[in-house]
């Protein structure tokens, strides 16, 4: 396996709510910590990345988070502007304003335009070598395939025009597993796992991008080790539990509740483990599966991101 | 049925009076399951012909309903599925799935002026792309299908599940956006003949850029397509407006489902505001997968702390009590077990506290109709759905069916090969190096599941925190 951070472009995707942004932000932090110039880009600018880094707005132009780490949000119109200015040298900078809405409309209606501008910007940053690693907090399961497939698909629809001629070098970057990879984030639950499995297949079939790894987020710690659960069950028998309560000096009902909570913890974890087992079975053998622990404490903000980055570092 | 609690009457009246329930909420919170549970329970308790329309159901839902698979055409859930759950249905439960591309095609066929135009549209390479990617396309189709079913008048109650939206407002605004799309000036720009575009001063800069970037051929293709698409304008606009009216109609109510995790709860709150702003009727707000309230009970917390404190001294005594009959029960192991129990409680108490906080925020915005507790395993049959429905109805005591044991009985090791939960572990990894756990030898057969759940409920009752009318915990009040 090629080390995740040795690549130049990573698309972090997965079902909504599984912690894509957290993982992308943590990967960015980790990469910057190892001396890589790193860009983290939020494709759907909802402000989650800014919240994760607690760094204020992350504009298209980028914002420095810590040393070597820059965060930005995608803006397809700004991307078009930059593209026209820098690559095509089209003198339309002043005039594009009034047509922005028109552009927005065409981008909505015409397949792949918005996607190509998003992917184009990201590939451009890789090609221009402004950064060693570009981490993308990419779209969720439903939209990522369309996005990554856009450079391929646009050829079929747009026969001429500059957009068409620009897709080749993008494809070179995207299809090289040494440079580009997708990271699917999931949680140990039914739907996120089944979407992850589904997405893994679709990435392979419909996009040029290789699956670099799958990350299971919010994995509960195992409560009991080998043989311990049996001991737990024995102590939990009503008579013994009552005696334990007496020795502890607490009410039996209270101790029963504490034990019931432990049983619930075991149950929740076991349900999750079954889903992860299914995930492992369904994924190709060569796809690494990594685990990030459930954070019982604060689950957002920079402190949480640092903890996730630390766990991720241990996994890599 | 028995007079029932106020909540039961309230839920029942709501579902008897309304004709449409639109289930909305963030993704992954159990929206589809909740919608199905509500529909099934309505059939069991109220009656009538009820259809649950789902968007992207897990295979499990079809299995749970006892039907082979779901398609665009509605299938009746067999009465046997109800009798297997020990219930005699008062009505009929039907289920259907929303097939996006099939529904779009049907829509085009309905609104196209003639079948030749319809064929041209359906055959256009841009059509697939646009219907798939058109912003809010899925939301629109879901609402459109709902309207069609409602118009058909075959069902007394329609419970419709909605696609997870990227934005809380997408679903509600979809019909309006659809009609805006067709009346858009930009659409007219695109569809005017190529030559007259160049003389139109307002649109000229746009075409100059667009030509350069996309090529005029593509623009021409696009224009051709939209000219065809325009022929459906009147039908689409009238329909979108009708769909919009149905959503606002007194016969329609919304069901908002969420979990009490930070991100979904925030999205749910946004959705709540969006509903209120549009004066849409929110009939039910359901919080799913909620941790039990005993976790937030101060007396229980104290007991857990005492346990943590005294575990080391007590371990020897407890080990002795267990005796030789229990393998492995050395004082060390007992101390570890008790320590784990106490610290696990502390961890989950933190989570429960966060949940309580989020529940408080939600209840401030709207009355929370029901909290449904975390349930072991998946719902795999109608009985499971009805048990969930009972929680929404607010039955005083719900006898939940035991967790699905079949999957666990088949020699599944008690602790599955699984994750190496990194940071949360306070002890070094004790499993095999790669995190795969060897099936633990000598552990008890996995039978304790249901008993534990029952134990939990007993504990809840003993504490007097569970099983209140409405099945809600005191912190909601």
């Amino acid at each position: 396996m090629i080390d995740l951070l040795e690549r130049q472009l990573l698309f972090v995707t997965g079902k909504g709510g599984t912690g894509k942004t957290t993982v992308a932000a943590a990967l960015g932090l980790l990469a910057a910590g190892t001396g890589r110039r790193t860009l983290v880009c939020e494709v759907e600018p909802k402000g989650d990345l800014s919240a994760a880094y607690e760094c204020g707005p992350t504009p298209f132009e980028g914002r420095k988070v810590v040393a070597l780490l820059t965060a930005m949000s995608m803006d397809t119109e700004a991307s078009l502007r930059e593209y026209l200015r820098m690559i095509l040298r089209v003198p339309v900078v002043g005039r594009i304003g009034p047509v922005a809405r028109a552009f927005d409309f065409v981008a909505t209606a015409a397949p792949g335009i918005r996607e190509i501008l998003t992917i184009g910007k990201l590939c451009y940053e890789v090609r221009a070598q402004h950064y060693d690693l570009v981490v993308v907090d990419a779209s969720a399961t439903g939209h990522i395939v369309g996005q990554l497939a856009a450079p391929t698909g646009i050829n079929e629809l747009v026969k001429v025009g500059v957009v068409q001629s620009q897709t080749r070098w993008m494809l070179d970057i995207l299809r090289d597993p040494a440079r580009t990879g997708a990271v699917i984030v999931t949680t140990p639950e039914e739907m996120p796992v089944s979407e992850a499995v589904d997405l893994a297949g679709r990435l392979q079939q419909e996009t040029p991008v290789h699956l670099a790894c799958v990350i299971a987020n919010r994995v509960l710690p195992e409560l009991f080790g080998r043989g311990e659960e049996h001991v737990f069950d024995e102590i939990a028998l009503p008579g013994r539990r009552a005696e334990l309560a007496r020795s502890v000096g607490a009410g039996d009902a209270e101790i029963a509740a504490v034990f019931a909570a432990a049983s619930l913890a075991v149950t929740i974890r076991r349900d999750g483990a079954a889903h992860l087992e299914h995930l492992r079975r369904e994924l190709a053998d060569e796809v690494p599966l990594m685990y990030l622990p459930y954070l019982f404490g604060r689950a957002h903000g920079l402190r949480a991101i640092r903890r996730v980055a630390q766990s991720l570092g241990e996994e890599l | 049925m028995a007079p029932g609690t106020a909540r039961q009457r309230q839920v029942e009246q709501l579902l008897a009076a309304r004709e449409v329930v639109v289930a909305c909420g963030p993704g992954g919170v159990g929206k589809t399951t909740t919608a199905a549970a509500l529909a099934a329970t309505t059939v069991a308790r109220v009656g009538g012909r009820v259809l649950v329309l789902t968007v992207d159901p897990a295979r499990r839902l079809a299995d749970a309903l006892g039907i082979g698979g779901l398609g665009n055409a509605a299938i009746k859930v067999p009465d046997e599925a109800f009798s297997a759950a020990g219930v005699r249905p008062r009505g009929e439960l039907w289920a259907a799935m929303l097939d996006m591309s099939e529904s779009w095609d049907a829509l085009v066929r309905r609104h196209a002026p003639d079948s030749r135009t319809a064929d041209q549209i359906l055959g256009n390479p841009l059509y697939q792309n646009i219907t798939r990617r058109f912003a809010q396309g899925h939301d629109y189709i879901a609402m459109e299908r709902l309207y069609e079913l409602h118009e058909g008048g075959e069902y007394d109650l329609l419970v419709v599940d909605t696609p997870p939206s990227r934005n809380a407002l997408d679903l509600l605004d979809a019909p309006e956006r659809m009609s805006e799309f067709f009346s858009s000036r930009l659409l007219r720009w695109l569809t005017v003949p190529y030559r007259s575009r160049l003389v139109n001063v307002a649109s000229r800069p746009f075409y100059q850029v667009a030509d350069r970037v996309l090529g005029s051929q593509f623009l021409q293709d696009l224009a051709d397509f939209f000219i065809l698409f325009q022929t459906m304008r009147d039908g689409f606009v009238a329909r979108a407006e009708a769909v919009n009216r149905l959503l606002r109609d007194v016969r329609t109510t919304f069901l908002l489902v969420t979990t009490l995790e930070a991100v979904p709860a925030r999205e749910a709150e946004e959705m709540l505001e969006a509903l209120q702003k549009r004066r849409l009727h929110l009939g039910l707000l359901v919080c799913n997968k909620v941790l039990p309230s005993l976790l937030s009970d101060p007396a229980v917390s104290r007991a857990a702390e005492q346990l943590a404190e005294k575990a080391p001294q007590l371990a020897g005594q407890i080990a002795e009590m267990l005796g030789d009959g229990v393998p492995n029960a050395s004082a060390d192991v007992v101390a570890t077990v008790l320590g784990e129990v106490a610290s696990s409680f502390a961890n989950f108490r933190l989570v429960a506290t966060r949940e309580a906080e989020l529940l408080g925020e939600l209840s401030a915005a709207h009355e929370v109709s029901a909290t449904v507790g975390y349930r072991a395993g998946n719902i795999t049959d109608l009985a499971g759905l009805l048990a969930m429905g009972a929680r929404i109805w607010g039955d005083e005591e719900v006898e939940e069916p035991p967790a699905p044991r079949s999957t666990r009985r088949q020699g599944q090791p008690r602790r599955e090969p699984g994750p190496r939960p990194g940071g949360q572990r306070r002890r070094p990894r004790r499993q095999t190096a790669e995190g795969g756990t060897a099936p633990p030898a000598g552990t008890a057969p996995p039978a304790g599941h249901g008993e534990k759940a029952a134990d939990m409920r007993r504990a809840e009752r003993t504490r007097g925190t569970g099983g209140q009318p409405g099945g809600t915990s005191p912190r909601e009040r």
Side-chain angles (χ1 to χ4, degrees):
Chain A
M1 173 204 172
I2 308 153
D3 186 338
L4 207 55
L5 302 181
E6 287 299 322
R7 289 181 172 84
Q8 294 168 320
L9 181 57
L10 289 175
F11 291 92
V12 182
T13 179
K15 186 174 166 66
T18 52
K20 277 192 314 289
T21 305
T22 306
V23 170
L27 276 171
L29 212 55
L30 201 61
T34 57
R36 292 171 170 90
R37 294 169 302 154
T38 308
L39 173 70
V40 180
C41 173
E42 180 176 45
V43 163
E44 280 158 35
K46 294 197 293 186
D48 294 347
L49 186 62
S50 148
Y53 282 143
E54 302 181 85
C55 66
T58 54
F60 182 75
E61 295 71 30
R63 168 183 285 262
K64 194 179 161 212
V65 181
V66 292
L68 298 180
L69 180 60
T70 306
M72 68 165 281
S73 304
M74 185 51 70
D75 173 343
T76 44
E77 195 198 316
S79 171
L80 176 65
R81 202 189 303 253
E82 184 182 82
Y83 182 58
L84 295 174
R85 195 181 61 235
M86 297 202 310
I87 301 181
L88 309 177
R89 301 198 170 75
V90 176
V92 289
V93 180
R95 297 208 319 244
I96 194 169
V99 299
R101 276 194 54 215
F103 165 74
D104 200 47
F105 177 85
V106 173
T108 301
I113 301 301
R114 214 183 278 282
E115 288 85 349
I116 202 86
L117 285 166
T118 299
I119 300 296
K121 163 73 177 171
L122 298 166
C123 288
Y124 167 73
E125 292 297 338
V126 169
R127 188 168 75 154
Q129 302 190 339
H130 292 153
Y131 300 96
D132 300 313
L133 173 65
V134 176
V135 179
V136 189
D137 175 12
S139 299
T141 321
H143 301 88
I144 184 72
V145 170
Q147 234 166 40
L148 295 179
T152 322
I154 203 122
N155 281 305
E156 294 154 22
L157 292 160
V158 183
K159 300 287 185 218
V160 288
V162 202
V163 162
Q164 204 272 350
S165 65
Q166 291 288 326
T167 52
R168 179 162 300 159
W169 62 270
M170 291 186 204
L171 283 171
D172 286 343
I173 292 175
L174 293 175
R175 65 162 73 102
D176 180 359
R179 299 171 83 183
T180 304
V183 174
I184 300 177
V185 182
T186 186
T187 52
E189 294 165 285
E190 184 183 27
M191 293 308 278
V193 162
S194 89
E195 280 194 22
V197 169
D198 188 48
L199 181 59
R202 290 192 64 200
L203 280 176
Q204 200 198 359
Q205 281 160 16
E206 300 172 37
T207 80
V209 177
H210 292 254
L211 179 56
C213 75
V214 176
I215 294 179
N217 192 17
R218 293 192 215 124
V219 176
L220 284 171
E222 195 170 31
L223 196 52
F224 299 118
R226 190 184 291 249
E228 287 174 9
E229 189 164 349
H230 182 57
V231 174
F232 168 79
D233 288 340
E234 292 289 334
I235 302 174
L237 294 174
R240 290 176 178 156
R241 199 186 56 212
E243 189 167 334
L244 175 69
R246 267 195 302 282
S247 311
V248 168
D252 182 34
E254 279 78 9
I255 289 293
V258 173
F259 272 65
S263 290
L264 180 69
V266 169
T267 303
I268 295 176
R269 188 192 179 281
R270 183 178 296 153
D271 285 350
H275 293 306
L276 291 181
E277 206 184 338
H278 171 70
L279 176 65
R280 182 65 273 178
R281 259 198 321 270
E282 295 291 321
L283 288 177
D285 290 342
E286 69 273 13
V287 176
L289 176 57
M290 293 185 239
Y291 304 101
L292 292 176
Y294 186 91
L295 298 182
F296 286 102
R298 252 165 75 87
H300 46 84
L302 195 55
R303 247 180 65 212
I305 301 295
R306 285 192 200 283
R307 285 196 58 183
V308 174
Q310 193 193 341
S311 312
L312 208 51
E314 287 164 14
E315 287 284 295
L316 287 175
Chain B
M1 85 175 343
T5 63
R7 250 277 297 300
Q8 283 169 342
R9 281 197 301 278
Q10 198 187 329
V11 173
E12 223 153 84
Q13 280 161 6
L14 181 80
L15 293 171
R18 306 275 164 163
E19 293 170 15
V20 174
V21 177
V22 182
C24 55
V29 298
K31 200 165 39 171
T32 306
T33 308
T34 309
L38 202 68
T41 313
T42 305
V43 170
R45 299 189 179 197
V46 183
R49 256 166 88 96
V50 179
L51 175 77
V52 56
L53 177 65
T54 76
V55 176
D56 185 19
R59 167 87 211 165
R60 194 166 56 72
L61 184 67
D63 292 344
L65 293 171
I67 50 185
L70 286 168
N72 233 14
I75 302 170
K76 183 174 182 279
V77 174
D79 287 346
E80 295 79 64
F82 280 93
S83 38
V87 170
R88 231 182 58 201
R90 291 164 183 241
E92 294 175 8
L93 178 60
W94 291 72
M97 192 187 81
L98 186 65
D99 182 316
M100 290 294 170
S101 61
E102 211 174 294
S103 303
W104 266 109
D105 293 358
L107 203 61
V108 167
R109 294 224 170 269
R110 182 178 318 117
H111 294 313
D114 51 66
S115 64
R116 215 182 116 252
T117 315
D119 288 339
Q120 277 180 304
I121 294 172
L122 296 175
N124 191 300
L126 289 175
Y127 166 75
Q128 284 283 327
N129 276 289
I130 289 175
T131 51
R132 254 211 327 260
R133 302 221 181 110
F134 177 65
Q136 295 93 41
H138 287 198
D139 291 321
Y140 178 72
I141 275 295
M143 294 301 99
E144 152 74 32
R145 183 80 199 286
L146 169 69
Y147 176 80
E148 188 192 313
L149 286 163
H150 185 256
E151 276 297 276
E154 273 187 67
Y155 302 96
D156 298 294
L157 177 69
L158 297 165
V159 183
V160 61
D161 177 27
T162 57
S165 299
R166 280 200 270 185
N167 180 332
L169 314 177
D170 283 354
L171 165 79
L172 306 173
D173 295 343
E176 213 150 297
R177 290 213 187 150
M178 184 54 102
S179 52
E180 264 172 27
F181 175 82
F182 276 100
S183 1
S184 149
R185 193 158 54 112
L186 296 162
L187 189 58
R188 287 204 299 279
W189 276 6
L190 264 185
T191 50
V192 296
Y194 191 74
R195 236 174 343 135
S196 55
R197 289 176 190 173
L198 296 175
V199 295
N200 184 328
V201 178
S203 57
R204 199 187 300 153
F206 165 70
Y207 284 109
Q208 282 174 346
V209 175
D211 265 13
R212 185 80 200 274
V213 176
L214 302 167
S216 49
Q217 182 57 48
F218 177 66
L219 281 184
Q220 191 55 52
D221 291 349
L222 204 58
D224 290 346
F225 175 70
F226 279 121
I227 288 164
L228 284 173
F229 214 67
Q230 273 286 46
T231 61
M232 303 190 295
R233 185 191 164 197
D234 293 346
F236 258 96
V237 171
R239 189 71 166 212
E241 280 163 6
V243 172
N244 216 349
R245 275 197 302 277
L246 176 61
L247 290 184
R248 278 153 222 279
D249 197 280
V250 289
R251 291 170 295 184
T252 302
T253 190
F254 284 77
L255 155 71
L256 180 56
V257 187
T258 184
T259 58
L260 294 175
E261 295 156 292
V263 177
R266 195 183 63 210
E267 274 176 47
E269 232 172 302
E270 280 168 20
M271 201 162 254
L272 234 163
E273 280 165 26
L275 287 168
Q276 283 167 343
K277 211 173 108 203
R278 284 163 183 73
R279 297 166 177 277
L280 293 168
H281 186 267
L282 177 58
L284 287 164
L285 171 57
V286 173
C287 299
N288 198 13
K289 304 182 196 172
V290 178
L291 288 174
S293 53
L294 62 84
L295 286 165
S296 342
D297 188 318
V300 178
S301 282
R302 243 186 341 268
E305 281 161 20
Q306 283 169 293
L307 183 66
E309 204 178 297
K310 296 193 179 150
Q313 299 106 274
L314 290 176
Q317 176 198 333
I318 303 293
E320 217 163 284
M321 173 177 81
L322 293 174
D324 294 338
V326 182
N328 240 338
S330 68
D332 273 359
V333 171
V334 169
T336 310
V337 167
L338 295 181
E340 289 283 6
V341 168
S343 72
S344 167
F345 186 90
N347 277 337
F348 277 87
R349 186 170 65 99
L350 265 179
V351 182
T353 310
R354 271 208 306 273
E355 285 194 351
E357 160 75 14
L358 290 166
L359 184 63
E361 276 173 31
L362 274 178
S363 346
H366 192 275
E367 182 202 356
V368 174
S369 320
T371 56
V372 178
Y374 184 91
R375 193 184 171 287
N378 294 315
I379 291 181
T380 52
D381 55 10
L382 204 54
L385 288 176
L386 291 170
M388 187 185 194
R391 288 300 299 257
I392 299 171
W393 248 253
D395 288 7
E396 220 165 312
E397 184 63 28
V398 181
E399 216 38 64
E400 285 186 29
R405 293 178 183 203
S406 53
T407 54
R408 304 183 194 285
R409 285 218 188 254
Q410 290 155 9
Q412 197 175 352
R414 190 156 179 132
R415 235 165 308 111
E416 296 81 355
R420 285 174 282 161
Q424 295 300 325
R425 300 182 59 90
R426 281 161 295 102
R427 288 169 306 180
R429 292 168 187 159
R430 63 167 107 239
Q431 275 82 45
T432 56
E434 273 325 293
T437 20
T443 47
H449 228 107
E451 290 97 88
K452 276 177 191 160
D455 206 30
M456 173 78 75
R457 282 196 303 276
R458 262 197 307 280
E460 284 260 293
R461 270 206 302 282
T462 324
R463 305 277 334 131
T465 51
Q468 290 189 349
T472 51
S473 59
R475 59 175 188 239
E476 286 160 32
R477 300 286 162 199

